[in-house]
Amino acid sequence: MSTAAAFVAPTIDWAYLVPVIVVLGAGVLGVLVEAFVPDRHRRAVQVVLALGALVGALATIVLLWDDVQELNGIQVLGGSLVIDPFGLALQGIVVVLALLATLVIADRTSTGQDAFAPTAAAVPGSAYEDLARRRGLEQTEVFPLVLFAVGGMMIFPATGDLLTMFVALEVLSLPLYVLTALARRRRLLSQEASFKYFLLGAFASAIFIFGVALVYGFAGSVRLAEVRAALLNGGGLDGMTGLVLLGLVMVLAGLLFKIGAAPFHSWTPDVYQGAPTPITGFMAACTKAAAFGALVRVLYLIGSALPPDLQEKLVVALWVVAILTMVVGSVIGVIQTDMKRLLAYSSIAHAGFLLVALVGFGELSGFGVRAVVFYLLAYGLATVGAFAVVTLVRERSPQPQAAVESPVLAAVGSGGTAGSAAGGAGPAAGGAGGLPAPDSGAILGEATHLTEWAGLGKRSPWLAGAFALFLLSMAGIPLTAGFIAKFTAFGAAVAVGAWPLALIGVLASAVSVFFYVRIIVLMFFTPSPSSVAGGAEQESPENADGGPAATSAVAALATRVTVVRSEGFTTVAIVICVTGVVLLGVLPSSVLDLALEAAKFRP
């Protein structure tokens, strides 16, 4: 009779888990708030809890930085999590971007509404949805869902084994599937986007976990360090080295889906367009940062340990994906007419630029990782700020309030038309940035068609100026954070001899400049519909092109777009993003030094 081995309780360094515990714990408390706090106080409690948790997590990350840097990393939970400078830096980026995105999510316009449906369970266009909207119900479950997603994003780049990485992938993805379906306006489009995201995400997760099984079949372990040791020591099953390459490619496919790299990008434009705009900004910035953190860890720990012939094949595959991603994002982005879809293809192009920095993973050089860390912060600030601006530029119906409160229009409205109304708009809000307060008509959804942004620079110069700065940063114009980010990314590729890839990146970046500059020209150098209408009204009917009917049509178009005031959270987020983009572009050295320290994680 065998004697059972004595159980040895694991030693857990709880201090290094505090940032994740704070965020996930606040998410759990948020669920309890939904159950026990009265309706009239629930939103205020949720906002304070979410913002407080993110600020607390950021403070603990700052406090842990010196200790983690001195130890050069520590394994927690038996190696399931590795809290090293790289993982902690990515956690910090995710929390900073999530904090800014949460400010936008929590904001309400002067209509008294946020961006989320009053009741997510209602059938779009139904009488129940219309009743919930008229009663002013609010979907405060958004905040714990955001916190759970952030918790998964914080775990994702700090994982020490592939199974924990898969769990983190699901923890961050499942809330996003739900959040995507909660748009107050364009309800059917939002639900369709959520379904596409969920379905394609399920396939990506299945591919990921199948790749984990193949890696385990080779190394007998899912720990990244043990898989690396098996490759370096010639361990694993004889003749089965190619098995780990196939498994690694499948794991990378699941990660490339989350960053929106081609050919795994098809979900990105639809989801970015259909999701509530604050969630789009949150998803575009934070998910990309977390997924690239996990991608870097897998490539540098497992990919760099492959035999030279297999490593060469992996590098070729990475080249192909990077080139395809840059070309798809830049070229297809040129023909977009919807602002959110254009920013979606911009996000795809930036994923390609980031991949350029990673082609030298076999060199174990810190410059590629430094470029990725800096790029994620610079891109995230510009992206959150850009989508925050989009939330404030709205359509306004020239019709009376009652005429646009149809629940059917709320369900099926599409962008760029007055029919994109989501009913329930409150009293018309006064404009901001020099726009006159509308006399009548309801505030509708975001004005996402590019032509609706014409003349915004004259009517709301500060808002248009901030948006132009974010676009210039995405384009990589000097004295912005985007220029330094692209310079370091392409420089990392040149340092390992991948100058042709860097050259393609420069050319793709030049192509993408076109659609960024086109928006700036629309805002500042294209006459607004209101000015065209005013000029037409001064002409006699017989001299005006198209006669009085055309003049009336132009005048009606002029009443379709306004800039709404908000509670101020979005303004704070935009100001912080503008400040960050400028400082990272003018004084980037200190952040680059921190990024280089973050790149010194042990392989």
Side-chain angles (χ1 to χ4, degrees):
M1 183 175 180
S2 60
T3 303
F7 173 74
V8 179
T11 301
I12 302 176
D13 294 306
W14 292 103
Y16 299 97
L17 295 176
V18 169
V20 177
I21 292 174
V22 167
V23 173
L24 292 180
V28 174
L29 289 178
V31 174
L32 297 178
V33 167
E34 290 297 315
F36 298 106
V37 175
D39 291 349
R40 61 183 180 277
H41 302 305
R42 193 174 297 162
R43 181 182 182 276
V45 173
Q46 292 283 27
V47 170
V48 171
L49 180 62
L51 294 177
L54 293 172
V55 170
L58 181 60
T60 56
I61 289 172
V62 172
L63 294 175
L64 288 173
W65 176 256
D66 290 337
D67 189 27
V68 170
Q69 193 174 17
E70 181 180 351
L71 296 174
N72 198 25
I74 182 170
Q75 293 187 354
V76 186
L77 298 174
S80 296
L81 291 180
V82 179
I83 308 300
D84 53 17
F86 174 75
L88 201 62
L90 265 294
Q91 287 184 347
I93 292 174
V94 167
V95 171
V96 168
L97 299 179
L99 180 60
L100 295 174
T102 303
L103 289 174
V104 183
I105 292 170
D107 206 0
R108 292 187 295 194
T109 66
S110 52
T111 64
Q113 297 175 343
D114 56 23
F116 304 98
T119 173
V123 176
S126 66
Y128 177 68
E129 182 184 59
D130 190 40
L131 177 62
R133 183 176 61 250
R134 293 178 184 278
R135 292 185 60 184
L137 299 183
E138 291 183 314
Q139 201 76 30
T140 52
E141 294 92 339
V142 167
F143 297 99
L145 287 172
V146 168
L147 290 174
F148 286 133
V150 173
M153 293 172 187
M154 295 174 68
I155 297 173
F156 206 34
T159 52
D161 66 65
L162 294 173
L163 277 183
T164 305
M165 188 176 292
F166 174 75
V167 172
L169 174 64
E170 296 304 301
V171 171
L172 75 90
S173 298
L174 292 176
L176 292 178
Y177 300 150
V178 178
L179 291 168
T180 301
L182 298 183
R184 175 179 290 272
R185 300 167 176 87
R186 304 178 180 94
R187 296 283 292 123
L188 290 179
L189 184 64
S190 178
Q191 292 186 355
E192 179 188 359
S194 176
F195 182 73
K196 287 180 179 179
Y197 193 17
F198 170 73
L199 189 61
L200 294 177
F203 280 113
S205 297
I207 293 172
F208 182 95
I209 199 64
F210 199 93
V212 173
L214 293 179
V215 172
Y216 179 80
F218 164 78
S221 175
V222 293
R223 294 286 171 85
L224 295 176
E226 294 180 10
V227 175
R228 176 180 174 83
L231 286 167
L232 293 176
N233 298 331
L237 302 177
D238 294 335
M240 298 296 288
T241 307
L243 189 68
V244 73
L245 177 62
L246 178 59
L248 180 59
V249 168
M250 297 182 77
V251 168
L252 294 179
L255 297 176
L256 291 171
F257 172 86
K258 296 307 297 183
I259 68 175
F264 313 101
H265 69 285
S266 60
W267 63 274
T268 308
D270 294 333
V271 173
Y272 278 34
Q273 183 183 22
T277 302
I279 297 301
T280 305
F282 167 68
M283 182 167 46
C286 298
T287 303
K288 195 175 296 292
F292 260 104
L295 182 66
V296 166
R297 196 172 289 279
V298 171
L299 278 177
Y300 275 72
L301 291 181
I302 299 180
S304 64
L306 290 172
D309 56 332
L310 297 181
Q311 190 175 132
E312 183 178 353
K313 295 178 181 178
L314 184 60
V315 170
V316 171
L318 200 60
W319 272 58
V320 171
V321 172
I323 293 173
L324 186 61
T325 304
M326 290 186 291
V327 170
V328 167
S330 300
V331 174
I332 301 183
V334 170
I335 62 175
Q336 299 303 309
T337 58
D338 183 272
M339 184 66 74
K340 292 174 73 173
R341 291 186 72 88
L342 186 148
L343 292 175
Y345 280 103
S346 169
S347 173
I348 294 170
H350 283 285
F353 300 146
L354 277 160
L355 289 173
V356 170
L358 296 180
V359 295
F361 66 88
E363 306 290 332
L364 286 179
S365 170
F367 294 108
V369 179
R370 180 189 69 167
V372 169
V373 172
F374 186 88
Y375 202 123
L376 290 172
L377 179 59
Y379 166 79
L381 290 173
T383 299
V384 173
F387 281 105
V389 172
V390 173
T391 64
L392 298 179
V393 182
R394 299 292 188 91
E395 292 177 341
R396 187 180 74 243
S397 172
Q399 299 174 346
Q401 175 81 11
V404 296
E405 286 194 344
S406 165
V408 177
L409 288 180
V412 302
S414 59
T417 66
S420 63
L435 283 177
D439 296 325
S440 63
I443 301 299
L444 308 178
E446 289 90 354
T448 58
H449 198 281
L450 295 188
T451 57
E452 295 178 308
W453 290 65
L456 184 67
K458 295 181 179 179
R459 293 177 290 157
S460 185
W462 291 107
L463 191 67
F467 194 66
L469 177 64
F470 299 140
L471 295 177
L472 292 175
S473 181
M474 293 180 188
I477 302 302
L479 299 182
T480 64
F483 172 76
I484 304 298
K486 288 185 178 180
F487 182 83
T488 55
F490 297 153
V494 172
V496 296
W499 63 266
L501 187 60
L503 178 61
I504 296 173
V506 171
L507 295 176
S509 183
V511 172
S512 66
V513 168
F514 170 79
F515 53 78
Y516 297 129
V517 173
R518 179 176 62 167
I519 300 173
I520 296 174
V521 170
L522 273 173
M523 292 191 298
F524 291 98
F525 303 106
T526 302
S528 64
S530 58
S531 64
V532 173
E537 289 170 352
Q538 295 174 4
E539 299 179 1
S540 62
E542 50 273 11
N543 292 333
D545 293 337
T551 302
S552 299
V554 175
L557 178 64
T559 65
R560 279 177 46 189
V561 180
T562 187
V563 176
V564 296
R565 295 189 180 96
S566 69
E567 292 178 329
F569 291 136
T570 299
T571 302
V572 172
I574 292 174
V575 170
I576 294 175
C577 290
V578 166
T579 304
V581 167
V582 172
L583 289 180
L584 290 180
V586 178
L587 302 171
S589 56
S590 58
V591 179
L592 284 172
D593 291 340
L594 289 174
L596 188 58
E597 292 298 324
K600 296 178 181 179
F601 67 94
R602 290 180 296 186

